[in-house]
Amino acid sequence: MEPYDPFDPLDPAAPKPEAPHSRNTISTGTQAPVTRHTVSVLVQNQPGVLSRVSGLCSRRGFNIDSLAVGPTQNEDVSRITLTLQGDAAHIEQLVQQLYKLIVVQKVIVLDPRRSVERQLVLCKIRAGAAERDAVMRIVDIFRARIVDVARTTLTIELTGEDDKTQAMLGLLADYDILEIVRTGTVALQRGESTIAGGIWN
Amino acid sequence: MKLCGAAILIECLIEQGVQTLFGFPGGAVLPIYDELYKREDRISHILTAHEQHAGHAADGYARATGRTGVCLATSGPGATNLVTAIATAYMDSSPVVFLTGNVPQQLMGTDSFQEADILGITMSITKHSWLVTDVRKLAQTVREAFFIAKSGRPGPVLIDIPKDVQIAECEYEPASGQALIPNYSPDHPALQLQPYGKQLEEYKRRVTPYLERACELIQAAQRPLIYAGGGVTDAASELKALSERMDAPVANTLMGLGTIDPQSPMSLGMVGMHGTHAANIAMQRCDLLLAVGVRFSDRALGNAEAFAPGAKVIHIDLDRAEINKNVSTTLHITGHARVVLELLCERLPAQRHTDWVRQASSMRENYLQNDLFEPRNVLHALHEAAGDMTVATDVGQHQMWTAQHFPFSRPRQLITSGGLGTMGFGFGAAIGASVGTGKPVVLVTGDGSFRMNLTELSTAQHYGVPVIIVLFNNGTLGMVRQWQTLFFSKHYSQTTLDRGPDFMKLAEAYGLAGWRVQTLDAFRQAIAQALDAGRPCIVECMLGIDEMVAPMVAPGAPIDSFCLN
Ligand SMILES: Cc1ncc(C[n+]2csc(CCOP(=O)(O)OP(=O)(O)O)c2C)c(N)n1
Ligand SMILES: [Mg+2]
């Protein structure tokens, strides 16, 4: 069967992985634009799946910025969200290499304009009575939340897109940050589109 | 019926039609060996001297017959000894099921005696792998393993079975026919079976626009060339038909040798670092390259940027991940070579490129044979005696000479480690190939490689496996020496093999016949006797230390710029 192929050469809308003259898509010589991509992967929910996926990425030289994994409404299936930088050829390779893993059932590359993305950050800062008000103003502006208050510290929970979390952490950098923990990005397509709604699922 | 895990495993192997396994016992597989003992009537076991060569034997068995090979080893060191064999099979897409025992589950993760995380170690060199944690899942796992190894682009798989699972009992239900095929999505890209019946109709419907586009590109071409690799192994007649229909010459990769008759004027021989002038130059001059079942390896491409500069590339492969991996393509078609080539041939009107074909095939070298005791003359003489026998090789100059000078006339005739280039591969592979085909097999090896696997002489001798060992003794790790000559100022660092053994005495020690030859006539006589013997034997050819493999293209150079002619 012709598998689902988002890089179909006969599809005028498909991304074109290379400049017409370049022969070698891997070489660094190509000038194709490097952008951030979000890739969603449905996998069988079984031990070792995460090391298969992350092992593949490191072995083939894909630098993953973030990775998030969790079960889905189907207990046999987990969903992994990867974000990474790369040009179209890189992303095409990643998608096709992922499909070689038997545990992988479906891979999609999300279109940033037609999807929602979130990550969650917990950030603990040193804030006594003197700093508390100022910090809480920042928290309000970003519609973040205070999830723990102590005499000397505040713990903030922030969800949002990468840009937003970066911006807020940038402002908080003026304070004494004690620790930060963040999840990888998770993402869904908007509207009726679902990851399982492709040619095979 | 209630059986223990070890017995279920053996029953499942019998279900799959396995007749022979290659392996080596140990503590963590004792229950399995006990069942083998009981089922000797149904399944035979070849005991090698080293697990690595059991792995290569299972691989050679698979390559020679097209049936899945099976290899069994114990936990820890037994399992880690398989690693090179697994990687070799993986790089050359050979279907092998590797079975390992492991320590009982309650000891796993405690650094217990002979414990190794073989699943983790081999994750990147297997198509898929399993740790069986429950005896009730064992039968299904074995069926899946055989299915996965053989479907889609074939490859090695590994099943790790802890000892407690081998001992635990459960109900075993024999399966046959359709029930042996596990319930995987038929569209999974890595598991596609060759479509037939209704699926073939559906595939045709989906693939038609691609075929149409391919026909347009082919019809627009003036200088079309077909570049055929190991993926064409089961599509040789379709390749021939298409080559005639397109009126296009064929260049082969190392793994593709034998897919087109080398005597045919359409055959240009091997392409790449040690490719023929005809193939390499045609590659650079063609305006359309139809690449089938190839992965554009750097050894075939030379400089990827400068490769086939004027050509549009159509890439046909079963593995979608090979498309646009090393070389960007104009059009690709994913599917089984046999199906795609046949459909393409049906649709394409006959083409004529008389001048181009004449031009391309006129570059074929006609080696004039002479009486010098040189590798190419030896290989021609070997071919005269061996005909279409299966030939396995090790890795080095002798391997390249064999690829260049022995005309392989059928797929699966050449058994060689192409992707990983594993010295030590050949002997085990030859044993496996001979066991699988039930016929004598020629092994062309080098003095360096043979020292890595001569430990298997006892195996060939004990089982009477007729492997005719043609040993190219040049007193050196010749291929490395060649690079030292060309690129490292003749600093022969650690490549001179001035240390024996005396291979004739070695043959004698193992109870084998041996001939040491220095002339073509002596070689012809020895090989005739060796082929008659029906037993393993050694023909040692004394060659000059400075023989080189030519032609040669320096690594990373365009493949028509030869540094040796
Ligand atoms: C396991 C392994 N180790 C090292 C190499 C590197 N290597 C490639 S060819 C070669 C020399 C092979 O010597 P020999 O078997 O005598 O063959 P010759 O080239 O002399 O014909 C070596 C060391 C290899 N391919 N495989
Ligand atoms: Mg040698």
Side-chain angles (χ1 to χ4, degrees):
Chain A
M1 298 289 116
E2 187 78 3
Y4 169 71
D5 189 346
F7 302 92
D8 186 337
L10 296 188
D11 177 359
K16 291 288 167 273
E18 88 293 343
H21 304 298
S22 104
R23 271 275 172 259
N24 186 347
T25 55
I26 297 301
S27 92
T28 46
T30 50
Q31 294 302 309
V34 170
T35 48
R36 186 173 164 279
H37 296 270
T38 305
V39 179
S40 289
V41 191
L42 287 188
V43 294
Q44 288 170 22
N45 182 7
Q46 47 167 261
V49 167
L50 199 54
S51 44
R52 285 182 199 280
V53 171
S54 60
L56 182 146
C57 290
S58 58
R59 176 169 82 95
R60 299 241 176 221
F62 299 107
N63 286 320
I64 302 299
D65 292 333
S66 80
L67 187 155
V69 58
T72 64
Q73 69 272 37
N74 177 344
E75 63 178 24
D76 296 330
V77 178
S78 293
R79 178 166 175 149
I80 296 177
T81 308
L82 302 166
T83 63
L84 73 160
Q85 309 279 334
D87 60 22
H90 256 84
I91 301 304
E92 176 184 12
Q93 258 300 294
L94 175 65
V95 170
Q96 304 306 340
Q97 291 294 345
L98 283 168
Y99 270 130
K100 291 182 71 167
L101 298 178
I102 306 300
V103 292
V104 166
Q105 302 185 334
K106 183 73 186 276
V107 185
I108 58 172
V109 183
L110 295 181
D111 177 346
R113 289 159 307 174
R114 299 207 194 87
S115 51
V116 282
E117 283 192 3
R118 289 292 178 272
Q119 52 178 257
L120 185 142
V121 181
L122 293 177
C123 175
K124 184 189 289 179
I125 55 177
R126 167 102 39 231
E131 294 91 1
R132 208 168 279 152
D133 276 356
V135 171
M136 288 185 44
R137 263 197 304 281
I138 298 176
V139 167
D140 277 347
I141 293 167
F142 283 93
R143 290 200 225 123
R145 298 201 301 151
I146 306 286
V147 289
D148 183 63
V149 189
R151 219 166 46 76
T152 53
T153 66
L154 276 178
T155 302
I156 302 162
E157 173 200 308
L158 171 67
T159 47
E161 292 179 10
D162 202 41
D163 292 354
K164 178 177 164 187
T165 51
Q166 296 293 9
M168 175 159 157
L169 289 174
L171 287 180
L172 290 177
D174 290 343
Y175 299 85
D176 184 6
I177 297 180
L178 297 174
E179 56 182 341
I180 292 178
V181 60
R182 53 207 297 180
T183 64
T185 297
V186 294
L188 285 180
Q189 290 156 290
R190 293 181 186 275
E192 282 286 327
S193 313
T194 61
I195 187 169
I199 292 173
W200 61 282
N201 49 68
Chain B
M1 95 191 106
K2 212 164 186 162
L3 295 178
C4 72
I8 292 174
L9 173 66
I10 302 302
E11 291 305 323
C12 288
L13 295 180
I14 294 171
E15 269 178 11
Q16 297 289 336
V18 175
Q19 291 158 354
T20 308
L21 39 159
F22 303 88
F24 201 93
V29 284
L30 273 168
I32 300 174
Y33 274 87
D34 195 52
E35 292 303 323
L36 277 172
Y37 186 84
K38 298 179 198 156
R39 299 305 306 266
E40 253 175 8
D41 55 323
R42 288 298 303 277
I43 199 158
S44 66
H45 179 280
I46 304 260
L47 175 67
T48 56
H50 188 294
E51 288 91 349
Q52 181 186 343
H53 307 304
H56 291 320
D59 184 353
Y61 177 100
R63 294 181 198 224
T65 62
R67 300 194 300 271
T68 302
V70 187
C71 176
L72 171 61
T74 191
S75 66
T80 54
N81 269 351
L82 293 178
V83 170
T84 302
I86 299 173
T88 305
Y90 186 70
M91 288 292 267
D92 289 344
S93 312
S94 180
V96 182
V97 174
F98 288 92
L99 304 165
T100 50
N102 209 329
V103 298
Q105 287 180 83
Q106 67 269 24
L107 287 179
M108 285 178 96
T110 66
D111 301 320
S112 56
F113 180 64
Q114 294 196 328
E115 180 187 351
D117 170 22
I118 196 61
L119 215 72
I121 292 170
T122 59
M123 204 165 263
S124 66
I125 51 172
T126 48
K127 187 171 173 189
H128 195 50
S129 51
W130 297 261
L131 171 68
V132 183
T133 53
D134 181 343
V135 68
R136 287 167 301 181
K137 292 196 187 135
L138 180 59
Q140 182 61 16
T141 302
V142 177
R143 290 164 193 156
E144 281 179 24
F146 275 85
F147 176 75
I148 289 173
K150 199 69 206 304
S151 59
R153 177 178 180 175
V157 297
L158 181 133
I159 311 177
D160 196 23
I161 312 172
K163 197 169 180 182
D164 56 306
V165 174
Q166 301 169 29
I167 294 165
E169 293 191 342
C170 83
E171 207 51 47
Y172 162 74
E173 280 203 38
S176 60
Q178 215 34 45
L180 284 175
I181 297 180
N183 196 10
Y184 274 104
S185 163
D187 279 351
H188 194 295
L191 301 176
Q192 288 169 59
L193 300 173
Q194 189 171 313
Y196 64 96
K198 255 173 78 182
Q199 281 165 333
L200 182 59
E201 291 312 308
E202 169 62 13
Y203 178 76
K204 275 189 193 165
R205 192 184 62 70
R206 289 200 214 172
V207 85
T208 298
Y210 300 83
L211 295 171
E212 278 169 0
R213 180 83 184 106
C215 287
E216 285 168 21
L217 291 168
I218 293 170
Q219 282 171 280
Q222 308 291 316
R223 299 182 305 281
L225 178 70
I226 300 176
Y227 164 43
V232 188
T233 297
D234 293 324
S237 56
E238 289 78 5
L239 174 68
K240 179 165 185 278
L242 184 65
S243 153
E244 282 161 11
R245 180 62 59 91
M246 278 174 71
D247 203 21
V250 179
N252 276 131
T253 66
L254 175 64
M255 301 309 292
L257 289 175
T259 55
I260 182 154
D261 179 1
Q263 318 294 358
S264 147
M266 286 306 199
S267 168
L268 303 182
M270 183 169 73
V271 71
M273 179 174 281
H274 294 297
T276 63
H277 286 100
N280 285 12
I281 293 171
M283 198 63 101
Q284 296 303 78
R285 288 200 191 149
C286 68
D287 66 352
L288 179 94
L289 188 64
L290 185 80
V292 198
V294 295
R295 58 187 179 83
F296 292 92
S297 139
D298 53 287
R299 279 293 183 269
L301 244 60
N303 181 336
E305 304 281 354
F307 176 74
K312 292 202 161 74
V313 178
I314 305 176
H315 192 176
I316 299 170
D317 205 284
L318 189 49
D319 181 356
R320 176 61 181 80
E322 290 303 341
I323 314 288
N324 293 333
K325 188 182 80 176
N326 294 342
V327 159
S328 59
T329 53
T330 310
L331 177 76
H332 68 259
I333 304 178
T334 45
H336 281 78
R338 187 191 267 173
V339 176
V340 180
L341 293 186
E342 190 179 333
L343 292 176
L344 198 53
C345 206
E346 268 173 21
R347 186 168 286 271
L348 184 74
Q351 308 290 303
R352 271 288 149 259
H353 302 287
T354 319
D355 288 347
W356 160 244
V357 173
R358 193 184 316 118
Q359 203 188 355
S361 61
S362 71
M363 291 184 287
R364 285 160 41 116
E365 285 112 297
N366 277 322
Y367 289 108
L368 287 182
Q369 237 174 301
N370 55 36
D371 277 341
L372 295 177
F373 194 62
E374 285 174 358
R376 64 190 165 105
N377 292 328
V378 172
L379 284 155
H380 280 127
L382 178 63
H383 177 244
E384 278 162 20
D388 77 341
M389 278 174 70
T390 304
V391 177
T393 78
D394 264 300
V395 167
Q397 292 180 314
H398 63 275
Q399 174 192 31
M400 289 298 112
W401 285 321
T402 307
Q404 292 174 331
H405 303 301
F406 191 105
F408 292 96
S409 55
R410 62 172 175 87
R412 305 193 181 283
Q413 190 183 359
L414 171 63
I415 303 215
T416 196
S417 169
L420 200 67
T422 308
M423 280 175 76
F425 167 78
F427 199 0
I431 291 173
S434 178
V435 168
T437 58
K439 292 181 180 158
V441 167
V442 174
L443 166 66
V444 181
T445 185
D447 46 341
S449 297
F450 193 43
R451 280 158 37 118
M452 287 197 177
N453 57 27
L454 53 78
T455 180
E456 298 304 334
L457 282 169
S458 53
T459 311
Q461 164 67 355
H462 174 80
Y463 295 99
V465 187
V467 176
I468 316 306
I469 301 167
V470 177
L471 170 61
F472 279 23
N473 189 349
N474 52 3
T476 174
L477 301 171
M479 185 56 97
V480 182
R481 182 184 172 92
Q482 176 164 346
W483 285 50
Q484 290 171 333
T485 303
L486 294 172
F487 311 123
F488 290 89
S489 324
K490 303 192 178 176
H491 296 162
Y492 297 124
S493 175
Q494 305 299 323
T495 47
T496 308
L497 298 180
D498 46 1
R499 60 202 66 189
D502 179 329
F503 290 108
M504 292 299 101
K505 284 193 181 147
L506 186 79
E508 199 189 323
Y510 282 97
L512 305 185
W515 296 267
R516 177 177 289 151
V517 298
Q518 328 221 18
T519 67
L520 274 185
D521 272 344
F523 177 76
R524 286 199 189 93
Q525 280 174 22
I527 207 74
Q529 281 174 273
L531 289 173
D532 269 353
R535 304 183 42 231
C537 46
I538 303 180
V539 181
E540 182 186 15
C541 305
M542 308 307 289
L543 295 168
I545 196 169
D546 281 318
E547 293 279 359
M548 294 227 229
V549 182
M552 178 176 185
V553 176
I559 57 163
D560 56 351
S561 73
F562 294 92
C563 69
L564 273 185
N565 280 302

